[in-house]
Amino acid sequence: MKRVKLTVAYDGTNYCGWQVQPNGLAVQEVLNRCLSELLKTKIEVIGASRTDAGVHALGNVAVFDTEARMPAEKFSYALNTRLPQDIRIQNSCQVPDDFHPRFQETVKTYEYKIYNRKFPDPTKRLYTYFYYYPLDVEKMRQGAAYLIGEHDFKSFSTYKPEVENTVRTIYELGIQRSEDDVITIRIRGNGFLYNMVRIIAGTLIRVGGGYYPPKHVKEILEAKNRELAGETARPEGLTLVEIRYPEWEAKKDGHHVSVDPLP
């Protein structure tokens, strides 16, 4: 028996999210089906991040156990011939039997993209959130600065009774505007609460639009009250870019793995 780790990219437009659900097709369900057909036995993958409906990923992580003789690195090729075009395995490798994609030290990177101009571009509608009113990126950066570091992010999460600890650490939070009017909020941290990135994006949109002064972000954070933060921004603007496992990577490579700053 061996445990295989998959790095999974997908366009979340046509899915109800990552996790298997009764109300629609999930990315996890498609992976389970394709793996089960490939290996002629029932396979259920364990995912690292349960992305919501419409959210995309470049580097979600999943693992599964198998007795198949196929080398772990070959699963990416075998699966990509069976998966639909909106799901693709980027890498596959063998990991220790006790490797779990959720229950160990991680560094996650997300991007939230806002298309900020007078008229929408239909070719960007599935991967950005269109926002008509002008946004001041510098004010958004000033507001975002209050969120960097270790904080209780209760104000920036949708309540889930099973989540008792709402303290997380944000290592980097950068905001850039491109020449084609796409504002990218890039955020890296040790973990994120339910809807946390989308609520941060919704709050920073209010700052950029002049509804909140930048320092109000600090007041929202300290209040620990979800009702004071901005709306939960729409899902199509969000992409899970990468999940790193510093401790596992250090053991695998035999050297220290640092958290690199954002470009």
Side-chain angles (χ1 to χ4, degrees), residues 33-85:
R33 184 177 68 233
C34 289
L35 274 167
S36 298
E37 291 173 355
L38 174 66
L39 298 174
K40 304 294 191 293
T41 186
K42 185 177 181 181
I43 299 290
E44 294 185 357
V45 301
I46 302 170
S49 185
R50 299 168 181 173
T51 55
D52 291 336
V55 173
H56 314 294
L58 295 174
N60 206 345
V61 171
V63 300
F64 67 94
D65 296 324
T66 180
E67 296 179 349
R69 294 184 178 181
M70 181 187 299
E73 62 271 16
K74 297 295 184 183
F75 275 96
S76 53
Y77 300 98
L79 277 173
N80 283 340
T81 64
R82 295 172 174 268
L83 287 165
Q85 291 185 350

Side-chain angles (χ1 to χ4, degrees), residues 13-14 18 28 33 37 39 69 75 81 84 96 126 129 151 159 163 171 187 206-207 213 225-226 230 247 261 263:
T13 303
N14 295 320
W18 165 268
Q28 184 183 31
R33 184 177 68 233
E37 291 173 355
L39 298 174
R69 294 184 178 181
F75 275 96
T81 64
L126 302 180
Y129 167 51
H151 303 286
Y159 175 71
V163 178
Y171 302 122
I187 183 169
R206 289 198 174 188
V207 172
N225 183 347
R226 168 66 186 95
E247 186 177 339

Side-chain angles (χ1 to χ4, degrees), residues 13 27-28 32 51 103 128 136 146 163 175 196 239 253-254:
T13 303
V27 176
Q28 184 183 31
N32 289 347
T51 55
F103 303 142
T128 62
D136 186 326
Y146 293 107
V163 178
I175 305 173
M196 180 172 158
T239 298
D253 298 334

Side-chain angles (χ1 to χ4, degrees), residues 227-242:
E227 294 181 3
L228 299 182
E231 67 276 13
T232 303
R234 289 185 56 83
E236 63 267 22
L238 183 62
T239 298
L240 170 57
V241 175
E242 180 185 58

Side-chain angles (χ1 to χ4, degrees), residues 24-248:
L25 184 65
V27 176
Q28 184 183 31
E29 180 181 346
V30 176
L31 279 173
N32 289 347
R33 184 177 68 233
C34 289
L35 274 167
S36 298
E37 291 173 355
L38 174 66
L39 298 174
K40 304 294 191 293
T41 186
K42 185 177 181 181
I43 299 290
E44 294 185 357
V45 301
I46 302 170
S49 185
R50 299 168 181 173
T51 55
D52 291 336
V55 173
H56 314 294
L58 295 174
N60 206 345
V61 171
V63 300
F64 67 94
D65 296 324
T66 180
E67 296 179 349
R69 294 184 178 181
M70 181 187 299
E73 62 271 16
K74 297 295 184 183
F75 275 96
S76 53
Y77 300 98
L79 277 173
N80 283 340
T81 64
R82 295 172 174 268
L83 287 165
Q85 291 185 350
D86 53 6
I87 303 176
R88 281 292 180 268
I89 308 303
Q90 303 299 295
N91 178 266
S92 59
C93 64
Q94 187 169 349
V95 291
D97 293 345
D98 61 353
F99 179 96
H100 195 289
R102 288 199 305 275
F103 303 142
Q104 59 185 325
E105 180 190 2
T106 62
V107 178
K108 294 183 179 181
T109 303
Y110 283 90
E111 285 186 352
Y112 193 89
K113 294 183 179 292
I114 305 157
Y115 191 44
N116 185 218
R117 66 193 289 258
K118 189 172 183 180
F119 296 108
D121 177 346
T123 67
K124 290 183 170 64
R125 74 190 190 282
L126 302 180
Y127 311 106
T128 62
Y129 167 51
F130 174 69
Y131 193 78
Y132 169 82
Y133 297 101
L135 293 173
D136 186 326
V137 171
E138 184 53 39
K139 286 184 178 179
M140 294 172 73
R141 289 178 183 139
Q142 292 171 15
Y146 293 107
L147 301 176
I148 297 172
E150 183 181 80
H151 303 286
D152 187 332
F153 285 95
K154 188 174 183 179
S155 292
F156 295 90
S157 67
T158 298
Y159 175 71
K160 278 199 165 186
E162 66 270 24
V163 178
E164 297 180 358
N165 181 13
T166 52
V167 174
R168 298 292 185 273
T169 301
I170 292 180
Y171 302 122
E172 305 278 349
L173 207 175
I175 305 173
Q176 301 292 332
R177 186 183 191 111
S178 64
E179 292 182 359
D180 61 350
D181 296 317
V182 174
I183 297 172
T184 301
I185 300 170
R186 186 174 173 92
I187 183 169
R188 180 177 294 170
N190 68 348
F192 294 89
L193 301 163
Y194 184 47
N195 286 338
M196 180 172 158
V197 178
R198 289 165 60 191
I199 295 169
I200 287 174
T203 303
L204 293 178
I205 286 171
R206 289 198 174 188
V207 172
Y211 296 99
Y212 296 157
K215 66 180 180 180
H216 188 52
V217 175
K218 183 175 185 289
E219 297 166 1
I220 295 169
L221 186 67
E222 293 173 347
K224 302 180 182 62
N225 183 347
R226 168 66 186 95
E227 294 181 3
L228 299 182
E231 67 276 13
T232 303
R234 289 185 56 83
E236 63 267 22
L238 183 62
T239 298
L240 170 57
V241 175
E242 180 185 58
I243 302 177
R244 298 282 301 274
Y245 296 90
E247 186 177 339
W248 171 71

